[in-house]
Amino acid sequence: MSLKGIFPIDRWDFNSQKILADLSDKDWDNLMAHARKEKYKKGQIVFREGAQPTSIFYIHTGTVKKYKIDNDGKEHIVYVASAGELIGYHAALADEVYPDAAAALEDSVVDVIPVADFLSTLDRSPAFSRKLLKTLSHEFAVYINNLSVFAQRPVRERVAIALIVLREKYKQGVKPGAPVMISISRDDIANMAGTTRENVARFLTEFKQEKIIDTIGRKILITNVRKLAEVSNYS
């Protein structure tokens, strides 16, 4: 089922896939001239917060979480990127260290692109520059939305929103209308929703009883996204 009309997913999705849309063959070849394809196992670090940016990353397959660690050592997931998205380019543009870290949520294949090739493509392609600027503006709005919602919403609603966002990330390759399977730990859901693992487990049990989700082992099957959107109380 499409989320159109029941949940504003664009307020939660960077849409960075659009950055490379319609890139000319010449610009694409320039961008990928020295890229290397890397396989990341579930949990493996893609880049570390505070490291100097030597590369940006194009997700070929899989999902990758962007996160920060607070002073108490608690992880906060700020975004989940999926196939077709670029990550790590903010630091390259600002000529600063990576402001957050990234790690694979599942086995993933990522194109590692040298920063120099990214910047040279940006310099030579006005269309690429315009799309990047538009995407950066949208990402700022997504971050503001994220902060405001998770500062004010009850935990049950935050967990529902996290599941809807994850459904969007895991639905690639799933037939339209078919249930979407999410393979992610309860800890990661808690770190997305800003709550505890125990709260996530409790609400997942409630959602299962309400026939919104089902579970197969540790995997979560979203069976009624419309009802989940109602629980999120977000319009």
Side-chain angles (χ1 to χ4, degrees), residues 13 63 161:
D13 194 352
T63 51
I161 291 171

Side-chain angles (χ1 to χ4, degrees), residues 172-185:
Q172 294 189 29
V174 177
K175 281 185 180 182
V180 177
M181 182 78 75
I182 297 171
S183 181
I184 185 171
S185 72

Side-chain angles (χ1 to χ4, degrees), residues 125-210:
S125 174
F128 189 32
S129 298
R130 286 194 298 271
K131 286 187 177 180
L132 186 63
L133 181 60
K134 186 175 182 179
T135 299
L136 286 169
S137 298
H138 178 66
E139 287 183 16
F140 179 74
V142 169
Y143 277 131
I144 294 300
N145 178 66
N146 194 307
L147 285 171
S148 62
V149 167
F150 284 103
Q152 301 170 10
R153 297 272 172 164
V155 176
R156 177 178 162 91
E157 293 179 9
R158 300 203 306 263
V159 172
I161 291 171
L163 291 176
I164 293 169
V165 172
L166 287 167
R167 174 189 180 273
E168 187 73 7
K169 298 300 180 177
Y170 279 87
K171 76 176 186 180
Q172 294 189 29
V174 177
K175 281 185 180 182
V180 177
M181 182 78 75
I182 297 171
S183 181
I184 185 171
S185 72
R186 275 47 174 174
D187 286 325
D188 280 327
I189 297 173
N191 293 338
M192 280 187 70
T195 187
T196 64
R197 188 181 192 281
E198 291 73 22
N199 276 337
V200 169
R202 175 162 61 90
F203 288 123
L204 289 180
T205 298
E206 289 183 8
F207 295 161
K208 188 172 181 179
Q209 291 170 346
E210 295 165 25

